C-alpha cells in the first residue's frame, strides 16, 4: 500500500481548496480493499495536504488535511442509526481530553457547532450537540462532536493549531463525501509535509469511556513470525494520544475484557513514505550487483514499516541485489534488505525498481513484498502479480527445496551464491531446505506468513469493534 500512496502523492498539488478530491476517494477504496483482505480487518488512513479541510475516512477514521466533496447544496449528510451497544457507550461517554474541565469552552463548542449545523450539512433534526473530545495535543487542538437525535447520530471532527478558537475549529471541520456508518471509535491523524514526506503531527484514538488503552514500542520479531512485546497502560478511559512526529508504537484497546483494536498507532501508519531521495546506505557484505539508490529506498521503507508497527531492531542492512528472472514481469532489478531482532527473527523486504506507477486496485503492493526470516535464510514473495519467491540462504548453498504443509517438495531449483528465484505459489510454501554442492543439508526453516500478502510481519491488526 505504501507504494500506492507514494505514487498517488507525486501527483498531488500543494494544499488544496475544498472541492472534488479523487485522492480521498482512492484512499477510501484502498482501505476498504485492505479491510476485505485482512482476516480481522485493519485500516491505514493516510493523507497528503495539511491545510485543507478534514473529513472522516473509511471505517470512521478521521484523516485530516483532505478537502472533501460535500453533498449538493441544500441537502444534509444522512445520519447513521445507533445500532450497537458500543456505539451507544461512545455517545454516552463524558467529554474526554485535557480541555474537558473547561466548562466555558465546552459550552461554546456546543453552541457554535449547533449554530453551524446547516453549514456542516447536518440535519437540524439532530437537535443535541455533545462534545466527545476536546484536547490540546503537542501538534494541535482536537475536537470530536456528536450531533444526536433519538435514534440517529453523526460525528464531526476538527484539528487546528493548539489554542485555536471555536471558529478556527469550525473552519477545519469537513463533511464526508459519502455517508459513513457510525462506529464506536474515532482514530484521528493529521499528516503534515515534513522533510520530503508526510508525518503525523497529531495522532489520537477515542473509544468508549472505560476502555483500557495500552501502548507498546518494543516488539521483537521471533523466528516463527510471532512478536514478543510488553504493554504499558496509557489510559483507562478510552483515549490514546500520540506525540508529534511519527508514532513508533502499537496501540491496544480493550473494552469490557475484549480486545477491540490492536494495531499501529492511530489506526494505521503515522507516516507516508518519503518522496525525496533516500540517504545513501552501505552495501558492504551484500551479495550480487546491488543498485545503491534502490538499496537506500528499500532500507528506508523497511525501517519506516517496522517502526510504524512498534518493532525494535537494528538499522536494516542490504542482503542481496540483482535482476529477477525473465518469468517475473519486466525482469526488474531488485534489492533484499532485512533487520533482525535480538531474538533472531528478521523482517525482510524485497524492493524492485518499478518506476512511477498509477495507483492500483490489486490487493498487493507492486513495488515491494515483505517476509519474516532468520539471519541466515529468507524466503520472500517476488513483487507484483507473478507467483514466485526469492530464496537467499548461506553463500555455500547451491540447491533449494520448498515444502508444503504435508512436508512434500513442491518446487526445487539451483542457487547461485546462495540466492535464486523459483516459480511457485507462495501461499503453498510452509518450509524450506537448502543444500550445498555435495548434497548436504545446510539449513531448514519455516516460512511463516508467506502467503498472507501483508506487510504486518506476523502480527495482524485486530479490528473487532
Amino acid at each position: 500500500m505504501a507504494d500506492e500512496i507514494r505514487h498517488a502523492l507525486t501527483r498531488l498539488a500543494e494544499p488544496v481548496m475544498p472541492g472534488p478530491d479523487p485522492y480521498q476517494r482512492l484512499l477510501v477504496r484502498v482501505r476498504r480493499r485492505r479491510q476485505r483482505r485482512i482476516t480481522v480487518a485493519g485500516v491505514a488512513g493516510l493523507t497528503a495536504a495539511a491545510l485543507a479541510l478534514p473529513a472522516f475516512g473509511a471505517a470512521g477514521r478521521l484523516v485530516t488535511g483532505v478537502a472533501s466533496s460535500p453533498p449538493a447544496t441544500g441537502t444534509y449528510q444522512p445520519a447513521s442509526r445507533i445500532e450497537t451497544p458500543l456505539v451507544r457507550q461512545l455517545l454516552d461517554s463524558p467529554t474526554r481530553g485535557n480541555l474537558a474541565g473547561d466548562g466555558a469552552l465546552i459550552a461554546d463548542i456546543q453552541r457554535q457547532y449547533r449554530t453551524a449545523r446547516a453549514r456542516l450539512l447536518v440535519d437540524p433534526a439532530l437537535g443535541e450537540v455533545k462534545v466527545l473530545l476536546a484536547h490540546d495535543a503537542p501538534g494541535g487542538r482536537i475536537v470530536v462532536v456528536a450531533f444526536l437525535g433519538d435514534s440517529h447520530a453523526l460525528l464531526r471532527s476538527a484539528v487546528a493549531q493548539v489554542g485555536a478558537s471555536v471558529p478556527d475549529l469550525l473552519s477545519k471541520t469537513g463533511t464526508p463525501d459519502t455517508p459513513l456508518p457510525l462506529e464506536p471509535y474515532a482514530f484521528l491523524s493529521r499528516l503534515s509535509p515534513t522533510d520530503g514526506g508526510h508525518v503525523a503531527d497529531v495522532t489520537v484514538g477515542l473509544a468508549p469511556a472505560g476502555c483500557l488503552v495500552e501502548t507498546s514500542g518494543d516488539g521483537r520479531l521471533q523466528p516463527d513470525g510471532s512478536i514478543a512485546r510488553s504493554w504499558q497502560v496509557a489510559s483507562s478511559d478510552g483515549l490514546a494520544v500520540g506525540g508529534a512526529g511519527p508514532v513508533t508504537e502499537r496501540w491496544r484497546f480493550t473494552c469490557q475484557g475484549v480486545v477491540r483494536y490492536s494495531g499501529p498507532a492511530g489506526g494505521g501508519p503515522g507516516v507516508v513514505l518519503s518522496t525525496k531521495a533516500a540517504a545513501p546506505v552501505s552495501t558492504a557484505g551484500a551479495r550480487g550487483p546491488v543498485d545503491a539508490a534502490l538499496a537506500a529506498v528499500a532500507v528506508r521503507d523497511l525501517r519506516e514499516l517496522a517502526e510504524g508497527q512498534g518493532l525494535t531492531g537494528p538499522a536494516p542492512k542490504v542482503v542481496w541485489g540483482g535482476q529477477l528472472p525473465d518469468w517475473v514481469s519486466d525482469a526488474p532489478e531488485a534489492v533484499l534488505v532485512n533487520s533482525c531482532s535480538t531474538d533472531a527473527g528478521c523482517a525482510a523486504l524485497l524492493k524492485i525498481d518499478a518506476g512511477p506507477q498509477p495507483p492500483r486496485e490489486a490487493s498487493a503492493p507492486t513495488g515491494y513484498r515483505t517476509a519474516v526470516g532468520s539471519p541466515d535464510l529468507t524466503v520472500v514473495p517476488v513483487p507484483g502479480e507473478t507467483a514466485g519467491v526469492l530464496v537467499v540462504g548461506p553463500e555455500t548453498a547451491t540447491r533449494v527445496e520448498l515444502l508444503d504443509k504435508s512436508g512434500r517438495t513442491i518446487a526445487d531449483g539451483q542457487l547461485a551464491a546462495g540466492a535464486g528465484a523459483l516459480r511457485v505459489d507462495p501461499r503453498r510454501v510452509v518450509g524450506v531446505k537448502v543444500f550445498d554442492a555435495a548434497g548436504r543439508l545446510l539449513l531448514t526453516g519455516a516460512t511463516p506468513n508467506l502467503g498472507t500478502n501483508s506487510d504486518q510481519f506476523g502480527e495482524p491488526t485486530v479490528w473487532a469493534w
Side-chain angles (χ1 to χ4, degrees):
M1 179 176 175
D3 273 42
E4 295 179 355
I5 301 301
R6 183 182 299 110
H7 300 322
L9 282 169
T10 61
R11 295 191 302 278
L12 291 177
E14 292 301 313
V16 295
M17 295 300 291
D21 187 359
Y23 182 65
Q24 171 66 7
R25 292 191 288 273
L26 162 68
L27 294 178
V28 171
R29 289 197 300 271
V30 169
R31 292 191 203 97
R32 287 174 179 164
R33 184 178 66 245
R34 287 173 65 86
Q35 282 184 293
R36 290 193 298 269
R37 179 163 55 88
I38 299 173
T39 302
V40 182
V43 296
L46 305 175
T47 74
L51 300 180
L53 297 181
F56 273 103
R61 187 182 192 279
L62 176 76
V63 286
T64 73
V66 178
S68 59
S69 179
T73 302
T75 65
Y76 301 115
Q77 185 76 46
S80 298
R81 179 175 290 278
I82 303 169
E83 293 183 328
T84 69
L86 274 177
V87 169
R88 174 56 69 186
Q89 289 168 27
L90 175 66
L91 297 175
D92 288 345
S93 297
T95 304
R96 262 83 54 80
N98 55 20
L99 301 175
D102 188 338
L105 174 63
I106 301 304
D108 193 30
I109 294 172
Q110 290 173 319
R111 180 182 59 81
Q112 295 203 43
Y113 269 77
R114 182 179 292 108
T115 301
R117 280 179 301 184
R119 193 173 99 201
L120 297 175
L121 303 180
V122 174
D123 192 332
L126 301 177
E128 181 183 354
V129 177
K130 184 172 183 179
V131 181
L132 299 182
L133 175 67
H135 189 85
D136 271 342
R141 173 165 288 187
I142 312 111
V143 297
V144 177
V145 176
F147 294 88
L148 303 168
D150 292 337
S151 60
H152 289 70
L154 282 178
L155 298 185
R156 291 286 185 267
S157 301
V159 181
Q161 72 274 15
V162 174
S165 66
V166 180
D168 287 339
L169 291 166
L170 278 167
S171 73
K172 299 294 184 182
T173 303
T175 299
D177 57 1
T178 57
L180 295 172
L182 191 61
E183 304 286 3
Y185 59 87
F187 285 156
L188 301 86
S189 291
R190 182 179 67 185
L191 296 160
S192 299
T194 303
D195 192 27
H198 289 77
V199 176
D201 56 11
V202 172
T203 305
V204 171
L206 183 69
C211 291
L212 177 67
V213 182
E214 299 167 285
T215 65
S216 174
D218 64 354
R220 302 180 313 280
L221 195 59
Q222 308 296 296
D224 65 357
S226 63
I227 306 291
R229 62 169 69 248
S230 60
W231 293 92
Q232 293 75 44
V233 174
S235 166
S236 59
D237 205 27
L239 175 63
V241 180
V247 184
T248 57
E249 62 186 17
R250 190 173 176 92
W251 287 357
R252 185 166 70 185
F253 285 71
T254 303
C255 305
Q256 300 173 337
V258 178
V259 175
R260 297 294 180 179
Y261 176 76
S262 181
V271 62
V272 180
L273 302 182
S274 176
T275 57
K276 66 181 292 187
V281 298
S282 172
T283 60
R287 278 174 269 169
V290 177
D291 182 316
L294 184 59
V297 174
V299 165
R300 181 193 63 199
D301 287 3
L302 178 57
R303 183 185 67 248
E304 293 180 345
L305 285 171
E307 288 178 348
Q309 297 173 44
L311 299 179
T312 61
K317 69 175 183 179
V318 183
V319 177
W320 173 89
Q323 189 171 20
L324 294 177
D326 291 341
W327 50 262
V328 179
S329 179
D330 298 326
E333 291 292 322
V335 170
L336 178 70
V337 300
N338 72 7
S339 175
C340 301
S341 75
T342 55
D343 294 343
C346 302
L349 182 145
L350 180 65
K351 180 81 174 178
I352 64 172
D353 186 8
Q357 300 177 39
R360 306 170 67 252
E361 288 300 318
S363 61
T366 58
Y368 71 87
R369 294 295 299 272
T370 62
V372 175
S374 71
D376 300 315
L377 182 60
T378 299
V379 181
V380 59
V382 298
E385 299 303 308
T386 305
V389 299
L390 175 74
V391 179
V392 178
E395 279 197 81
T396 55
T398 61
R399 190 173 68 85
V400 59
E401 294 181 2
L402 300 177
L403 313 176
D404 66 10
K405 63 182 180 180
S406 300
R408 297 176 302 176
T409 299
I410 55 175
D412 66 274
Q414 299 301 306
L415 303 177
L422 288 78
R423 298 193 75 165
V424 66
D425 185 346
R427 295 171 297 181
R428 299 181 60 201
V429 181
V430 300
V432 58
K433 295 179 179 179
V434 292
F435 304 84
D436 67 11
R440 291 185 294 262
L441 179 64
L442 296 177
L443 280 176
T444 63
T447 57
N449 311 305
L450 197 62
T452 59
N453 212 17
S454 171
D455 56 10
Q456 298 187 70
F457 300 115
E459 193 175 24
T461 295
V462 175
W463 196 271
W465 297 103

